[in-house]
Amino acid sequence: MIGIARALADVRDRIARAARAAGREPGSVKLVAVSKTKPAAAVREAYAAGQRAFGENYAQELEQKARELADLPDIEWHFIGHLQTNKAKLIARAAHVVHTVDSAVLARELGKRLRALGRTIPVLVEVNIGAEPQKHGAPPAELAAVLAAVRAEPELSLRGLMTMPPADELDTARRVFETLVTLRNLHGGAAVLPELSMGMTGDLEVAIAAGSTMVRVGTAIFGARATSASA
Ligand SMILES: *Cc1c(COP(=O)(O)O)cnc(C)c1O
């Protein structure tokens, strides 16, 4: 098992190579280190190696790690899991970026909770491109309505779209990522939706080739997770 600093350097290298291969600047792709199920000590180790953005899937876990690591001043917590409206208050308090707004109801609830705290945060709208019933995300047909609901909340700064392909299959992933780009173009283009959150350990090169600006990488940095925790 290689150390976290070395693993991070390897992932940064993969990102840089993929960006250059696509004729893009390596700096145009942000790395979000997905620390779900991993201890605060692992996050601290990654932070010491220069990593600042961390992704969490569970509201309580994010809040707890944020509290344990409150001494790290410029750490950035990205919420990337399914957000239930009853957890919106907690996330409004603890997260710096939310990747997974997927309904008008959730946009309104998150806006209300942020308003009460006097905070504004960047958000992305998650799209369910595979349209599988068990997955979260707005169906493409509802994207316009969700985007409108986000725009109606002054505390939500709309930054882009997020998706997660259904399986570990590169051709499917490529198709899903390209569909997200098409949807972005249908809904205002890069001028209004500059960020595309797509790509994980197994498919980050494919995502960067398609135009990803944020890759969410867990396993390649922190090692395998003990239980399958992909909610
Ligand atoms: C767990 C998770 C990741 C990271 O996946 P890895 O394959 O470990 O890199 C990225 N995005 C979401 C939404 C996740 O739940």
Side-chain angles (χ1 to χ4, degrees):
M1 172 77 203
I2 61 172
I4 288 172
R6 168 69 193 285
L8 258 175
D10 288 349
V11 169
R12 292 194 176 288
D13 196 52
R14 279 178 66 187
I15 292 170
R17 281 167 199 268
R20 280 192 220 99
R24 302 179 53 197
E25 285 293 324
S28 68
V29 183
K30 179 172 182 132
L31 172 59
V32 178
V34 177
S35 48
K36 64 182 177 205
T37 80
K38 300 295 178 181
V43 174
R44 198 175 280 286
E45 199 176 328
Y47 184 96
Q51 181 64 26
R52 292 294 177 270
F54 294 89
E56 288 285 340
N57 284 58
Y58 307 101
Q60 259 122 2
E61 189 179 347
L62 184 153
E63 193 207 28
Q64 194 190 325
K65 276 180 212 169
R67 210 164 344 99
E68 283 179 59
L69 298 166
D71 59 307
L72 306 179
D74 48 356
I75 197 164
E76 214 177 88
W77 291 105
H78 291 239
F79 188 75
I80 63 170
H82 175 58
L83 184 53
Q84 293 164 298
T85 48
N86 65 357
K87 298 283 164 52
K89 185 178 180 182
L90 207 154
I91 284 303
R93 196 166 54 220
H96 299 102
V97 185
V98 174
H99 291 230
T100 48
V101 174
D102 65 356
S103 73
V105 170
L106 177 60
R108 284 194 286 272
E109 182 68 18
L110 195 55
K112 183 175 99 181
R113 298 300 184 177
L114 286 161
R115 203 139 54 239
L117 296 163
R119 296 188 72 207
T120 297
I121 62 169
V123 302
L124 292 87
V125 171
E126 180 180 6
V127 188
N128 179 0
I129 290 175
E132 298 151 286
Q134 80 276 19
K135 283 256 170 108
H136 300 294
E142 288 169 24
L143 182 54
V146 179
L147 290 171
V150 170
R151 287 198 183 94
E153 300 298 321
E155 290 75 18
L156 303 182
S157 169
L158 178 62
R159 301 295 297 155
L161 304 177
M162 178 272 206
T163 199
M164 194 160 158
D168 263 2
E169 208 273 298
L170 286 184
D171 285 327
T172 308
R174 184 177 295 109
R175 206 160 21 77
V176 165
F177 297 152
E178 287 170 356
T179 303
L180 194 70
V181 174
T182 301
L183 287 169
R184 186 255 290 275
N185 293 338
L186 283 171
H187 292 274
V192 287
L193 299 168
E195 305 288 349
L196 293 175
S197 169
M198 54 190 201
M200 320 196 295
T201 290
D203 55 22
L204 71 89
E205 283 87 359
V206 170
I208 290 168
S212 172
T213 64
M214 291 175 146
V215 291
R216 311 176 307 267
V217 180
T219 307
I221 297 169
F222 296 109
R225 288 175 293 273
T227 54
S228 114
S230 61

